[in-house]
Amino acid sequence: MSFSHQVMLNQSLFEDPHMGFQAPHPNWALFSSLHYHHLHQSLRVPLLGSSSAGSDNNNNLSNSSSLASKDTDHVSTSFKLGEFEAPSVLHRSPTASHDIWPWGEAMTDHGSCMGSNKRISGGGSGADYHHHHHHHNHHLGIAAMKMKKAKVRRKIREPRFCFKTMSDVDVLDDGYKWRKYGQKVVKNTQHPRSYYRCTQDSCRVKKRVERLAEDPRMVITTYEGRHAHSPSNDQDNSDSAPSSTLNNFFW
DNA sequence: CGAGTTTGACCTGCGC
DNA sequence: GCGCAGGTCAAACTCG
């Protein structure tokens, strides 16, 4: 079955030469499926449409207007870009990319970094956790120190993008394995937001799933970061839905 | 027992 | 500084 997608990108992605287009535009906009391909290729980010195990033969999809994937080989997709709450980061040297952990950000000078940072930089041995004392150099990890050295003081975020999908399944199957690590009630909405991390060791990609307040039929999936590996889809699943024509372009 | 989820506590940024 | 909102941790728990 098909889904209608809308994708939101932050500006950095639009500046990616591979995207073949550029254009901050404050609203959701339609782009061709070709661009969608570029998006997935360059981001190595899942292409949806195949999954959602639930065989729920939704009717609702179809009428969802112009975006619906009527044409078999043209899943029209609409992207939205704009104010991601991510700060304007965007530019990172490619080399630094895996040393710097996006939200293990700027330590205060008094090494008061807590929580997330430690773990992040700890990388392998997450064992010692509780001794988070003053001494920066202890187990804070290279990343943190490098950051300090580099005088990075603001948050650095991985590229992220999101898309809306009309579906009653919350978590779309994108071929990667995810472990849930949190759930939050979002203000002014009925539905909670869930946080997932890629289970692949040392892959730090995250994903966030929530329902659109204005229209709970819509699932908003937000990816943050890039996978440095291919999806480890154990169970190759059965139905290659019509829209999966696209899937073959990747992986 | 291991892998994944649940869930309250905790952290951080931000606006007042 | 306070309080709120969002994001993450991690112990407890569930499920195979």
Side-chain angles (χ1 to χ4, degrees):
Chain A
M1 62 212 45
S2 49
F3 295 89
S4 53
H5 295 282
Q6 291 190 293
V7 180
M8 178 200 238
L9 299 167
N10 65 8
Q11 183 160 348
S12 59
L13 295 177
F14 277 86
E15 288 165 353
D16 186 329
H18 289 46
M19 298 302 292
F21 55 88
Q22 48 176 320
H25 182 286
N27 292 309
W28 292 93
L30 274 171
F31 288 92
S32 72
S33 55
L34 179 64
H35 290 321
Y36 198 35
H37 292 176
H38 283 309
L39 172 66
H40 284 281
Q41 264 174 327
S42 66
L43 287 181
R44 306 193 119 265
V45 135
L47 182 60
L48 302 185
S50 51
S51 62
S52 91
S55 52
D56 17 294
N57 19 349
N58 313 344
N59 5 298
N60 34 346
L61 311 175
S62 30
N63 42 354
S64 77
S65 78
S66 47
L67 344 157
S69 39
K70 295 278 170 77
D71 25 38
T72 21
D73 49 354
H74 274 316
V75 177
S76 48
T77 304
S78 74
F79 302 82
K80 183 181 184 180
L81 43 132
E83 23 50 270
F84 249 117
E85 64 302 46
S88 56
V89 177
L90 317 188
H91 307 91
R92 292 189 290 124
S93 67
T95 45
S97 47
H98 49 275
D99 287 332
I100 297 184
W101 187 232
W103 34 95
E105 61 294 69
M107 329 188 22
T108 66
D109 271 332
H110 6 2
S112 64
C113 52
M114 293 287 292
S116 43
N117 291 356
K118 283 177 307 187
R119 169 184 214 274
I120 283 149
S121 41
S125 62
D128 29 18
Y129 218 78
H130 302 51
H131 338 62
H132 50 306
H133 302 322
H134 13 292
H135 297 317
H136 339 146
N137 36 353
H138 178 34
H139 213 39
L140 293 182
I142 311 93
M145 295 163 80
K146 272 188 183 169
M147 289 169 54
K148 206 174 181 183
K149 200 170 190 175
K151 293 186 176 178
V152 179
R153 279 171 134 0
R154 57 174 187 277
K155 279 188 185 175
I156 297 189
R157 292 235 163 213
E158 292 287 342
R160 33 155 90 173
F161 80 100
C162 76
F163 47 83
K164 295 197 259 187
T165 305
M166 180 93 73
S167 161
D168 18 276
V169 185
D170 278 18
V171 181
L172 290 327
D173 177 18
D174 51 24
Y176 289 93
K177 283 188 71 184
W178 303 91
R179 172 165 37 252
K180 186 172 185 174
Y181 68 91
Q183 169 165 315
K184 260 302 197 196
V185 206
V186 191
K187 210 191 165 188
N188 299 324
T189 61
Q190 298 287 116
H191 309 274
R193 169 187 302 155
S194 326
Y195 301 88
Y196 299 87
R197 215 192 298 277
C198 181
T199 55
Q200 190 83 16
D201 200 26
S202 77
C203 179
R204 325 228 82 148
V205 177
K206 292 185 203 173
K207 153 188 192 178
R208 197 168 72 185
V209 177
E210 67 193 289
R211 290 208 167 257
L212 189 58
E214 297 76 36
D215 183 6
R217 297 172 305 163
M218 297 292 240
V219 179
I220 300 197
T221 310
T222 305
Y223 290 93
E224 183 159 343
R226 301 173 167 220
H227 295 280
H229 58 94
S230 2
S232 55
N233 203 358
D234 311 336
Q235 25 90 274
D236 218 342
N237 47 6
S238 41
D239 76 313
S240 33
S243 56
S244 66
T245 31
L246 292 180
N247 283 335
N248 307 324
F249 288 111
F250 316 103
W251 345 120

